[in-house]
Amino acid sequence: MDHRLSDPSRVISLILGGGAGTRLFPLTEKRAKPAVPLAGKYRLVDIPISLCINSGYKRIFILTQFLSSSLHRHVTRSYRFDDYLPQDFVEIMAAAQTSGDGPDWYQGTADAVRQNLDHFKTHEHDLVLILSGDQLYRMDFREIIDSHIKSKADVTVATIPVSREPASGFGIMQVDDERKITRFVEKPTEDKVLDSLKLTARGLEELGRDPGEELFLASMGIYVFNRNVLEAALSNAEHTDFGKHIIPDQIETGKTHSYVYQGYWEDIGTIKAFYNANLDICQAIPQFNFFDALSPIYSRARFLPATKVVDSQMSKVVVADGCIISGAQINGSIIGIRSRIGQGAQIDDSIIMGNDAYETRSEVNDAPIDEPSLGVGENCVIKGAIVDKNVRIGNNVTISNEGKIEDEDSDYYYVRDGIVIIPKSAVIPDGTVI
């Protein structure tokens, strides 16, 4: 397809790192939300960065403010473009609270962009592509840029068709026959309101859908702005959020269009969504394909040894690099980088995030006698759980979500959405039952 309209020199990309990530707690207790591990060897932020690179847009800013050190370390080690092509970069814009009239903590997604406008202005561009840092999908951004230019829109909002049940959890758009957005309702719950927002028969036909389907256009939190329109919209300091303030105002005052995306898309901003999206990757034919050679997902090159599996049985398991698995039974699970799984361990429907480093022999010898080694010990049972990085699980430990309430906090673990979460760097003594 000819993408001459979507000239990379016209576009800068902004990835919104989000707030404190409370919906993903405790995975965000010690790291920024975009730095949360994904699929064994990636981070959430690798998705939008990779999609930008694959679309030819290599001037990328990541806006964040909470616990950004691990995110900064990952990005600087993962995305190094040619030193002789300084126009290509991935740069983190972290909020810095200062005295006087300087920048303050970001008050919302729009405020984060507003506080960095002067910096963005130093880079030549006509269009601004705004993305979220906690979504799993694969989109060619040249398509939405082309759509934006052809429609002569001021703002383009990426939307996705959803059925009635999930529609109440999204901002729903109503469009005319030219895909111009005429109405926006945030999380509509009343049937009467939802009925008025349904896609028309013509709209369904244009999307190649069955005319009898009941579908609504939900905002994906992905926007394209003309540069001058964005700068004008951000001139009102009271407008701190794109979804709540900027987009509704633009629908009323400007030419705002919808670009409809019909591929797989998952907002993984909650523990349940994160858990389900990861375990879906273990399926024979997952909804999100990491094996797409034409649109790869990039991450840090760690140069780890190949994984070693000894006398183990595994079914529907994704195993990352550098693992040692001995005499284990693993089903429907993600095993992250540098994981060590002990003899007799049984792991079902779980995410083991792995470790940031290997323990040396001297570290093992010098450790307290009652402290387990990094990884999962012998004869452990882990079911329906997320085990964060650098966790030490002793021998004969049982961790299971069976019979658990929806939410619970404890010394060793948390429960969210009925899923047991062992927080980063936790130590679980021998014989513990969770």
Side-chain angles (χ1 to χ4, degrees):
M1 184 177 290
D2 188 353
H3 289 293
R4 280 177 290 184
L5 289 176
S6 50
D7 180 357
S9 67
R10 302 182 61 183
V11 181
I12 62 170
S13 303
L14 313 182
I15 299 172
L16 305 179
T22 53
R23 295 186 304 160
L24 271 178
F25 179 89
L27 302 181
T28 51
E29 183 180 18
K30 297 180 180 180
R31 60 167 76 89
K33 182 164 59 173
V36 172
L38 173 72
K41 61 178 292 183
Y42 304 95
R43 306 274 185 153
L44 293 183
V45 76
D46 290 329
I47 302 298
I49 293 177
S50 298
L51 297 183
C52 285
I53 294 171
N54 293 334
S55 301
Y57 303 134
K58 299 179 181 177
R59 296 187 297 164
I60 305 165
F61 296 95
I62 304 170
L63 280 59
T64 187
Q65 66 180 332
F66 291 97
L67 302 169
S68 59
S69 59
S70 63
L71 176 64
H72 189 277
R73 185 167 57 249
H74 174 73
V75 168
T76 54
R77 291 178 179 178
S78 303
Y79 301 99
R80 297 177 181 175
F81 296 122
D82 194 323
D83 290 338
Y84 296 98
L85 295 173
Q87 70 272 21
D88 296 341
F89 56 84
V90 180
E91 184 175 342
I92 293 180
M93 309 297 293
Q97 192 172 39
T98 64
S99 58
D101 298 326
D104 205 340
W105 297 128
Y106 300 150
Q107 302 303 304
T109 54
D111 186 58
V113 176
R114 179 187 297 110
Q115 290 199 30
N116 291 286
L117 266 182
D118 287 342
H119 186 76
F120 302 148
K121 289 177 182 178
T122 64
H123 298 270
E124 187 175 339
H125 66 283
D126 301 316
L127 303 171
V128 181
L129 174 64
I130 297 178
L131 309 169
S132 174
D134 58 356
Q135 298 174 351
L136 185 60
Y137 65 109
R138 180 176 269 107
M139 182 189 292
D140 186 339
F141 294 135
R142 293 174 295 180
E143 302 289 342
I144 188 173
I145 296 292
D146 284 347
S147 173
H148 176 83
I149 295 171
K150 288 177 180 177
S151 67
K152 298 181 180 179
D154 297 322
V155 183
T156 295
V157 179
T159 59
I160 189 167
V162 298
S163 59
R164 179 177 288 264
E165 184 177 353
S168 61
F170 293 98
I172 302 298
M173 309 288 179
Q174 189 172 49
V175 299
D176 64 16
D177 292 340
E178 303 299 322
R179 298 270 174 89
K180 182 178 185 293
I181 300 173
T182 58
R183 186 180 172 204
F184 170 81
V185 180
E186 179 69 19
K187 299 181 178 179
T189 55
E190 295 182 12
D191 287 340
K192 185 177 179 179
V193 175
L194 277 168
D195 289 341
S196 69
L197 294 167
K198 286 190 296 187
L199 273 169
T200 64
R202 178 175 175 178
L204 290 166
E205 183 181 1
E206 288 180 349
L207 296 177
R209 308 298 285 258
D210 187 327
E213 283 191 84
E214 185 181 59
L215 294 175
F216 308 83
L217 289 181
S219 172
M220 299 170 66
I222 296 172
Y223 316 111
V224 178
F225 277 83
N226 291 343
R227 173 179 176 169
N228 62 322
V229 173
L230 178 62
E231 292 174 3
L234 294 176
S235 63
N236 185 343
E238 294 183 359
H239 287 181
T240 58
D241 189 83
F242 280 104
K244 294 178 181 178
H245 306 125
I246 301 294
I247 298 303
D249 184 65
Q250 287 300 308
I251 291 171
E252 294 292 328
T253 61
K255 189 176 181 182
T256 305
H257 273 245
S258 164
Y259 167 80
V260 183
Y261 172 75
Q262 297 196 76
Y264 170 75
W265 176 81
E266 185 66 53
D267 180 343
I268 46 181
T270 67
I271 290 294
K272 185 175 182 179
F274 175 84
Y275 174 82
N276 290 338
N278 270 272
L279 293 197
D280 181 73
I281 295 165
C282 300
Q283 298 301 312
I285 304 178
Q287 296 182 80
F288 185 89
N289 179 21
F290 277 96
F291 293 86
D292 188 340
L294 298 179
S295 182
I297 302 301
Y298 304 101
S299 191
R300 179 184 169 192
R302 296 180 176 85
F303 308 106
L304 292 171
T307 284
K308 180 168 63 175
V309 180
V310 180
D311 296 331
S312 298
Q313 296 180 351
M314 295 190 289
S315 174
K316 294 183 179 179
V317 179
V318 172
V319 183
D321 303 340
C323 301
I324 301 175
I325 302 172
S326 304
Q329 292 187 353
I330 308 176
N331 301 286
S333 298
I334 299 278
I335 307 299
I337 57 171
R338 302 187 189 88
S339 289
R340 184 189 64 80
I341 311 297
Q343 185 76 29
Q346 180 177 339
I347 301 173
D348 296 300
D349 302 323
S350 295
I351 303 167
I352 311 297
M353 290 187 175
N355 303 303
D356 287 322
Y358 293 115
E359 281 186 300
T360 64
R361 188 177 298 276
S362 61
E363 286 174 332
V364 173
N365 292 338
D366 294 342
I369 192 169
D370 58 345
E371 181 177 274
S373 298
L374 278 175
V376 178
E378 296 182 356
N379 302 314
C380 290
V381 175
I382 301 177
K383 295 182 178 180
I386 300 174
V387 178
D388 207 334
K389 279 194 168 183
N390 306 328
V391 169
R392 299 171 183 270
I393 298 177
N395 299 326
N396 304 302
V397 169
T398 297
I399 301 170
S400 174
N401 68 338
E402 294 179 358
K404 293 289 189 297
I405 61 175
E406 283 293 300
D407 297 292
E408 180 184 351
D409 292 359
S410 180
D411 293 338
Y412 295 131
Y413 67 94
Y414 299 86
V415 180
R416 295 291 183 271
D417 299 318
I419 300 159
V420 180
I421 306 155
I422 307 300
K424 187 176 182 180
S425 302
V427 178
I428 312 298
D430 291 354
T432 300
V433 177
I434 296 176

